[in-house]
Amino acid sequence: AAARELGTVPRRCVLVGDIGRDVTAALAAGAQAVMVPTPVTRPEEIDAAGWVATDLPDAVAEILRRQAAVVPREPHRAGTVLVVRSDSAGDVLVTGPGIRAVAAGAQRVVLLCGPRGRAAAELLPGVDEIVQHRLPWIDPAPGPVDPEDIAALTATLRSVGADEAVVFTSFHQSPLPLALLLRTVGVRRISAISDDYPGALLDVRHRVPVGVPEPERALSLAAAAGFALADDDEPVLRLRAGRCDGPVAALHPALTEPGYVVVHPGASVPARACPPWRCAEIVGALTDAGHRVVVTGAPHERELTAYVAGGRAVDLGGRTPLADLARVLAGAHAVVVGNTGPAHLAAAVGTPVVSLFAPTVPFGQWGPWGVPTVRLGDATAGCRDTRASSCPVADHPCLAGLDPGEVVDAVRMLVPSR
C-alpha cells in the first residue's frame, strides 16, 4: 500500500525495522528489508534477517551505497565482450541482470559457462553466443588439471575475439586463473571482483562487501566496468522472451488452469534439501488446505518426487527440462523450494517463493531476489555459515524441524484468497 501511494513497486522499496515481523512483511511484499536491532529484538530474529545494520544511520548509508554501486561512474561502450559465469543453473540465473547491463553497452556478448549452467545460459536475455567449458578451479568436483584441456580452453578464448571480459564469480571464487589465460590471448580489458592482489591481471578490480545479494553483486561489477541496464530495463531476474512461453497442459492435464502450488523437494547440494519425509508431509498439508499441488524434480529425482507426491499431488519428476520447468513455475501461485536453482527460476518468472532455506550460506546473499518471499527453517542451526555440501549436523534440524502448517500459512500470506 505504501508503494502504491509513492507511485512505485515493492521491489524498489526497502523497509527498515527492528523485529522479525517487519522483515517477514517486507519480504512477503517483494521488498528488501534491513533489520536494526533494538532491546526488543530477539536473537533468532537477527539470525534470520538477511540484512542487519547496527543503527539507522548505518542502514541508510548501506542503502545509499548499494543504490550507487549499480550506477556506472563512467558509462562505457564496447565491441565484443566475453562474460563469464562457470557455475550451476541458479548461479547463472542470478548473474542475468549483470549480463543484461553489459549487453546494453556492447555490440556482441559471448557467455562462457560450464555444463551445469548451460541450460540456464540459453534462457538469458542479452547473450548472443554461448561457449561451454568446464573450469577446474570453479567446478565442485574437478579432476586433475589437464594441460591439453587448458590449451583447448585457451584456443577457445582466442577464437572469441573479445575486446574485453567481465568475469563474474561467487564470493568464494577467484577470477584470477581465467584472467591470466585471457591476458595470454590478448584481451585488452578485464574486469572482476577480487580481494586477492591481481597484479597485472585485472584492469578493473572491484570489491563488494559480504552479504550483498548475488544479482546486485553482479550488477555492481558491471557498473564498475562501465555498464548499466538499458533505460527500459529493470533490476530483476528475467528470462529470454519466447523461450518459456506457451501452455503447459501437454505436461499434465492438471496444469490446464494456473493457480497450483509447486513443491520442488530436491537440491543440487544435499545440505540444502528438505528431508523427503517432511516434503511429503508438506504436500499433504497443502492438499488438505485445498491447494492443487505439483511436485517437480530432475530426471535422477523421479523416485524422490514419486514419494513426495504420494498419490496426492501431480508428479512431474524428470519431465521438466529447465525451459519447461520455467513454464510450470510461471503458472503457479507459489513455489515451495530450498536454496537451489528452481528458487531463482521462480524469481525470474515472477512467482512467489516459500524458501525452505538451510543457513549454510547467507540468506541475504542467496535468497530469492525481487519476488515476494517467506523464509522458513531454523536460521540458528549448527550448520549456519559452514558452506557445507553435506549436512554437518545430525538429523538435518534446520529443515527437518519445519511444521508443515508453517508452509500452508506462508502460501496463504503470499497468495491472498482467490
Side-chain angles (χ1 to χ4, degrees):
R4 283 195 299 270
E5 283 199 32
L6 293 169
T8 186
V9 291
R11 68 172 178 268
R12 288 275 188 175
C13 299
V14 184
L15 181 144
V16 182
D18 66 341
I19 59 174
R21 282 175 176 267
D22 299 333
V23 173
T24 299
L27 296 181
Q32 296 195 58
V34 189
M35 173 168 281
V36 176
T38 65
V40 303
T41 313
R42 299 195 302 268
E44 59 269 25
E45 294 176 329
I46 300 173
D47 289 334
W51 180 354
V52 179
T54 55
D55 53 30
L56 186 56
D58 180 42
V60 172
E62 180 62 5
I63 291 168
L64 296 178
R65 189 203 66 77
R66 291 192 186 186
Q67 185 178 36
V70 298
V71 179
R73 294 181 180 178
E74 298 180 12
H76 176 65
R77 305 294 295 181
T80 295
V81 181
L82 177 71
V83 295
V84 183
R85 189 65 194 254
S86 185
D87 278 300
S88 64
D91 301 304
V92 172
L93 289 170
V94 298
T95 311
I99 293 173
R100 297 202 311 273
V102 174
Q107 296 177 7
R108 173 174 170 250
V109 172
V110 179
L111 171 60
L112 170 63
C113 67
R116 296 180 301 129
R118 176 63 186 256
E122 293 175 349
L123 301 180
L124 289 185
V127 176
D128 299 302
E129 183 181 339
I130 298 172
V131 176
Q132 178 181 313
H133 202 103
R134 192 187 304 270
L135 303 185
W137 56 90
I138 299 292
D139 196 87
V145 175
D146 180 354
E148 292 185 3
D149 180 67
I150 298 300
L153 172 59
T154 304
T156 297
L157 296 174
R158 183 178 289 110
S159 70
V160 170
D163 303 301
E164 63 180 277
V166 180
V167 183
F168 295 102
T169 52
S170 187
F171 71 104
H172 61 281
Q173 298 168 345
S174 173
L176 300 184
L178 183 62
L180 176 61
L181 296 183
L182 292 169
R183 281 285 188 242
T184 67
V185 301
V187 177
R188 295 188 297 273
R189 186 173 187 260
I190 304 172
S191 304
I193 296 171
S194 180
D195 289 325
D196 296 325
Y197 173 61
L201 298 181
L202 298 180
D203 299 286
V204 178
R205 179 196 184 188
H206 185 50
R207 294 186 178 182
V208 181
V210 174
V212 173
E214 284 289 304
E216 283 188 34
R217 194 172 186 271
L219 272 173
S220 74
L221 173 58
F227 300 105
L229 288 169
D231 291 340
D232 61 350
D233 201 352
E234 284 282 319
V236 294
L237 303 190
R238 181 167 289 153
L239 303 183
R240 187 185 293 271
R243 293 303 303 271
C244 305
D245 300 333
V248 293
L251 295 173
H252 195 281
L255 304 182
T256 303
E257 294 294 330
Y260 42 84
V261 175
V262 171
V263 174
H264 188 91
S268 57
V269 177
R272 301 176 189 171
C274 187
W277 59 270
R278 181 62 79 197
C279 289
E281 291 182 352
I282 289 170
V283 167
L286 287 168
T287 56
D288 288 345
H291 294 285
R292 288 183 294 136
V293 180
V294 175
V295 179
T296 57
H300 69 277
E301 295 172 331
R302 285 191 175 97
E303 185 175 341
L304 169 64
T305 60
Y307 169 76
V308 171
R312 303 190 66 180
V314 175
D315 178 14
L316 293 184
R319 297 169 56 186
T320 52
L322 202 64
D324 286 343
L325 179 58
R327 291 160 59 206
V328 172
L329 297 180
H333 273 338
V335 181
V336 181
V337 61
N339 176 23
T340 192
H344 306 300
L345 192 63
V349 297
T351 299
V353 177
V354 178
S355 179
L356 311 182
F357 198 90
T360 53
V361 294
F363 178 76
Q365 192 160 348
W366 289 104
W369 191 69
V371 293
T373 301
V374 174
R375 177 188 183 171
L376 297 178
D378 182 3
T380 68
C383 63
R384 181 181 174 88
D385 295 333
T386 61
R387 298 206 335 240
S389 297
S390 298
C391 185
V393 183
D395 300 324
H396 204 30
C398 66
L399 296 177
L402 273 172
D403 179 352
E406 293 180 85
V407 177
V408 175
D409 291 341
V411 170
R412 185 180 300 115
M413 185 186 304
L414 293 172
V415 185
S417 58
R418 304 185 180 198

